[in-house]
Amino acid sequence: MAEIRSPSSARSRIVEVADRLFYERGFEATSFADIATDAGLSRGNFYYHFKSKDEILAAVISLRMDRTREMLTVWESECPEPADRLLAFANILIANRAKIMVHGCPVGTLCAELAKLEHGAQNETVAIFTLFRDWLTRQFVVLGHGENADALAMHMLMRSQGVASLATAFRDEAFIVREVDALAAWLAQPTL
Amino acid sequence: MAEIRSPSSARSRIVEVADRLFYERGFEATSFADIATDAGLSRGNFYYHFKSKDEILAAVISLRMDRTREMLTVWESECPEPADRLLAFANILIANRAKIMVHGCPVGTLCAELAKLEHGAQNETVAIFTLFRDWLTRQFVVLGHGENADALAMHMLMRSQGVASLATAFRDEAFIVREVDALAAWLAQPTL
DNA sequence: GTCTATACCTCGATAGAC
DNA sequence: GTCTATCGAGGTATAGAC
């Protein structure tokens, strides 16, 4: 049976391609022509779906927000124990190490780029960080670290960002594994 | 007495301005016109000093290399104890917190941008990281951690990168101070 | 060494035929 | 909904007068 496309398939295809290219090449370095080519559209037809580049950026950030929420929900259902949930977070670095060694963390690098561009959408990107932050905080609260749960969450986020940054610089897989192990060890007795 | 300019003063002025703009706005987002304007030159005269944007980038990276070497030398002469030298490194985050909260780490953000652009100069930027890495390693060796001195050095670099990344995202000064304190505490008994 | 003028390209964005 | 054609702005880079 022939494939039936929903009316928004072109739109979602654009967002998917933009999401990938913004990650791989950066927001500014990605042109409409790049996205249109990879999405199989003409440049002109592009503006039927998005009126500006900022609109595409907003859609991409929204997509990443949704996927992050989904991922956190999956971890919650798959890991009844908060300790295992925190380990699941740490293991993103292992699971995505190939891409991280080439393009860094999707959230961190976009946030840094938008900060330098003084782009208003930086706030929306930070909101993805906040999603992680609040979720991590809740796990630390359940573990009995209510007092400084948020500081511990920020510490975990910080280490994941640091590992991603140096992984991109040195492309050292052993470093990533070593630091994830160290993070897991820290999780056994988290202090600040 | 009138100011006497060395023949390379225009050149060094360009590099200084480019260094600042590449940090504040990013490499790609900075145009020749931007640099020329801030350096007080016409666009045309620009190419008398630099034949291409990549040449300016190379000069900027070289400048940062020199300044990093100089900084490390100063720390060595000001701090006889390796422990104090490591603290001096950690304190860059405090000293530069205002700029870091807006533009991130100069080395880390440039390295991430060049990685996405697949720019050959990424290797030269990583060399600045290596300068820090080797210097930190030497301090840990003197402190008796010869076995995993390099891993400890990478861990310190990693944490400074992570702090810079989240500092840019959340613009939280208290977070920086807290994490530098935590890093100092870790330095008292560094483990991985 | 410094300037103006300009070539040539790609960018984001628009108009209008189909 | 998709296309081609095109605009104006801004990018890198060059030529040539002074």
Side-chain angles (χ1 to χ4, degrees):
Chain A
M1 187 174 168
E3 185 187 8
I4 298 175
R5 283 222 168 102
S6 73
S8 64
S9 92
R11 191 185 196 279
S12 63
R13 213 163 61 243
I14 290 173
V15 179
E16 289 288 341
V17 169
D19 176 44
R20 179 174 57 82
L21 291 180
F22 287 174
Y23 176 42
E24 292 176 355
R25 307 183 192 176
F27 170 67
E28 251 220 325
T30 301
S31 70
F32 277 13
D34 294 334
I35 302 172
T37 301
D38 281 25
L41 297 164
S42 73
R43 247 166 303 171
N45 187 17
F46 210 96
Y47 290 80
Y48 174 79
H49 301 282
F50 291 95
K51 286 172 200 159
S52 72
K53 200 178 179 182
D54 287 354
E55 261 189 32
I56 303 176
L57 177 60
V60 166
I61 295 173
S62 177
L63 174 73
R64 293 188 185 182
M65 276 283 266
D66 293 343
R67 293 204 168 142
T68 300
R69 263 189 280 261
E70 190 183 5
M71 188 167 63
L72 296 176
T73 305
V74 168
W75 289 344
E76 280 184 31
S77 63
E78 285 184 351
C79 309
E81 296 298 321
D84 292 328
R85 293 175 181 174
L86 294 172
L87 285 173
F89 171 82
N91 276 321
I92 320 178
L93 289 165
I94 302 289
N96 298 341
R97 64 188 186 280
K99 286 187 178 177
I100 289 173
M101 284 191 287
V102 182
H103 307 112
C105 166
V107 186
T109 54
L110 180 60
C111 192
E113 183 181 1
L114 296 182
K116 286 185 197 269
L117 296 175
E118 298 187 78
H119 196 295
Q122 199 213 356
N123 299 324
E124 276 72 64
T125 309
V126 174
I128 306 179
F129 269 142
T130 303
L131 226 51
F132 281 111
R133 177 182 184 169
D134 293 346
W135 185 87
L136 290 169
T137 300
R138 287 198 293 277
Q139 312 312 317
F140 281 115
V141 167
V142 176
L143 283 172
H145 298 92
E147 197 91 321
N148 52 351
D150 179 65
L152 295 173
M154 283 292 279
H155 184 79
M156 264 201 98
L157 260 188
M158 178 276 282
R159 283 171 78 151
S160 70
Q161 283 298 298
V163 171
S165 173
L166 286 197
T168 311
F170 292 107
R171 321 234 157 162
D172 184 345
E173 198 166 344
F175 160 75
I176 301 177
V177 174
R178 189 204 310 142
E179 284 294 343
V180 170
D181 285 349
L183 186 52
W186 175 82
L187 277 173
Q189 289 200 337
T191 49
L192 260 195
Chain B
M1 185 177 173
E3 184 188 8
I4 298 176
R5 283 227 168 98
S6 74
S8 64
S9 93
R11 190 185 197 277
S12 64
R13 214 163 61 243
I14 289 173
V15 179
E16 289 287 342
V17 169
D19 177 43
R20 179 174 58 81
L21 292 180
F22 287 175
Y23 176 42
E24 292 177 355
R25 307 183 191 176
F27 169 67
E28 251 220 325
T30 301
S31 70
F32 277 14
D34 295 334
I35 302 173
T37 301
D38 281 26
L41 298 163
S42 71
R43 248 166 303 169
N45 187 18
F46 209 97
Y47 289 81
Y48 174 79
H49 301 281
F50 292 95
K51 286 172 201 159
S52 71
K53 200 176 178 182
D54 287 353
E55 261 190 31
I56 304 177
L57 177 61
V60 166
I61 295 173
S62 177
L63 174 73
R64 293 187 185 182
M65 276 284 266
D66 292 343
R67 294 207 166 140
T68 301
R69 262 189 283 261
E70 191 182 5
M71 187 168 62
L72 296 176
T73 305
V74 168
W75 289 344
E76 281 184 30
S77 62
E78 286 185 351
C79 310
E81 294 300 321
D84 292 329
R85 294 175 181 176
L86 294 172
L87 285 174
F89 171 82
N91 276 322
I92 321 176
L93 290 165
I94 302 289
N96 299 341
R97 64 189 185 282
K99 286 187 179 178
I100 288 173
M101 283 192 286
V102 182
H103 307 112
C105 166
V107 186
T109 53
L110 180 61
C111 192
E113 184 181 0
L114 296 182
K116 286 185 197 269
L117 296 175
E118 299 186 79
H119 196 295
Q122 200 215 352
N123 301 324
E124 277 73 64
T125 309
V126 174
I128 307 179
F129 269 142
T130 304
L131 226 51
F132 281 112
R133 177 183 184 169
D134 293 346
W135 186 87
L136 291 169
T137 299
R138 286 197 294 277
Q139 313 312 317
F140 281 115
V141 167
V142 176
L143 283 172
H145 297 94
E147 197 89 324
N148 52 351
D150 179 66
L152 295 173
M154 283 291 278
H155 184 80
M156 264 201 99
L157 261 188
M158 178 277 283
R159 284 170 77 151
S160 70
Q161 283 299 297
V163 171
S165 172
L166 286 198
T168 312
F170 292 106
R171 321 237 156 159
D172 184 345
E173 199 166 343
F175 159 75
I176 301 177
V177 174
R178 190 204 309 143
E179 283 294 341
V180 170
D181 284 348
L183 186 52
W186 174 83
L187 277 173
Q189 287 201 337
T191 49
L192 261 194

